[in-house]
Amino acid sequence: MKEKQIITGFSKLTKDEKIKEVARYFKNPQEISDFLASFWFHEEKHQKLFDEFSENTISNFHFPFGIAPNVMINGKNYLIPMVIEESSVVAAAANSAKFWSTRGGFHTRIISTTKIGQVHFIWKGEKEELKAHFPELKQRLIEGTQAISKNMQERGGGILDIELVDMRKEIPDYYQLKASFNTRDAMGANFINSCLEEFASILKDFVVHKETIKEKEVIVIMSILSNYTPECLVEAWVECPVEEFDAIDPDMTSKEFVWKFEKAVQIATVDPHRATTHNKGIFNGIDAVVLATGNDFRAVEACGHTFASRDGQYRSLTQLKVENGIFKYSLLLPIALGTVGGLTSLHPLAKFTLELLGDPSAEDLMQISAVSGLANNFGALRSLTTKGIQKGHMKMHLLNILNTFGATEVEKDIAIEYFKTEKVSFNAVETFLKTVRN
Ligand code: MEV
C-alpha cells in the first residue's frame, strides 16, 4: 500500500471522488471502488439516508441482526433484536431466556430516569455572593429556558432541578451549574445541551447586571450533558429455588453449581480484571439491543463502567443473593436510552426493532436492554462454571473459521457434520479442510 498523503478538502469531494481518493492507495483501484459500492443499499433512498447519518461516507459497514426469542420480562414474552458480530452472544441470550422462561422469566423495575447536564465555569468572586443570589438566578435559568423546555414539559418532562456546585477544592475558582432533567422517551441530548448553553448565557448576563455581585467575569469553560447518569437506573433480576439447577450439569449438584456461581460473582466483585470481562459479557447483551434500536452504545458503555467504579474500585454490575434456598441474581445499572427522535426513528431497522418490541417507552427499553445484559451474563457464567465457554464458542465460530479458509458450501456441510463430535480449533479446521480437499 502506498504511503498516505495529507489531503485537503476531503469533505468537499463528491462521494465518487472520495472513493477514488481512497482507492488510489490500492494496487487495484477499480476493484476497490466496486467492492465498496457492493455494500451500498440497492434502494437509493436508504443509501442517501445512511450517507447523511455521518460524514465522508464511502460505504456501509454491515453487522448481523439476530433475534433472541422467548425472553419473558415481567410476564410478557419478547423477541429481542440484537445487532452483534460475536457469534455466541445471541445464542447465549437465547439459551438463558429459554432456561428462565420456565422459572418465572426476568423481572425488572425502573428506579429513576433522571439525566444530568453541567455548565462548568470559573468565577473568582466571593462564593457567598453567588450562593445568596442563587435562588433568584435559578428562577431566571428556568424562566429563560421556557421556550426550549415547553415541548418537553408538555410531554411530562423538562428541567427537574438546578444546583450550584462548589468545586474549588478540586480546581481554583471552579463551579458548576448542575442540572437534572426528565427527557421522557427521548434520549434528550439536544434538549439538555440547548438548555445548558442557554443557562450559560443567562448566568453571565445575571452576574454582569447584578449590582450586588462584585466580580463580573464568569468564564464558561463548557456546557454539556453528562453521560454519567447514576440516577437513570434500572434493575433486572431472575430468581428460583436452588433445586431448579439440578439438571444444569451432569457432573454437578444444584448446590455445587450455585456455590461455584456465587464464587464467580464474588471474584468479579473483588478483582477488576475479572470484573471487566464479567461486565463486558453484560454489555454484549446490552450493546446489541442499544445498537439495534439506534441508541448511543458508547454513552451506555461509558456510563455503565463509571457506575461499576462508583465506590472507587471497578466491580461487577451484578449481585447474587442466596437466601432461604432461593437464588436471586440481579443486575443494577444506569442506562440512558431513547425511543423517539434521533436515529431511533430514522434508521429503518431501528424503527423495525422498536415495532417488534411493541413500541416501547424509554423506560421499557431500559428494562429490555438490562434483561439482555443479564441474560448474556448468566449464560456466560453458567458455561464458565460448568463446561467452559470454548466448546460452545468454537462451535459457533466454526463458520467464521471455514469462511476464513474460503470453504465452499459443500465443504462447510461436511465440516459441520464432522465437528459435531470433534473439538473445533483453527488448526483442526485447517487440517480437516486439507484432508477434504486432497
Ligand atoms: C465474551 O464475549 C464474554 C465472556 O468473556 C464474558 C465472561 O467471561 O463473563 C464470556
Side-chain angles (χ1 to χ4, degrees), residues 356-374:
L356 184 62
L357 289 173
D359 290 322
S361 63
E363 292 192 5
D364 295 335
L365 189 58
M366 285 166 72
Q367 297 173 80
I368 294 166
S369 309
V371 163
S372 179
L374 182 63

Side-chain angles (χ1 to χ4, degrees), residues 86 274 277-278 280-281 284 380 384 389:
E86 193 177 325
R274 177 55 207 153
T277 319
H278 180 96
K280 187 271 184 187
N284 274 344
L384 287 167
I389 58 159

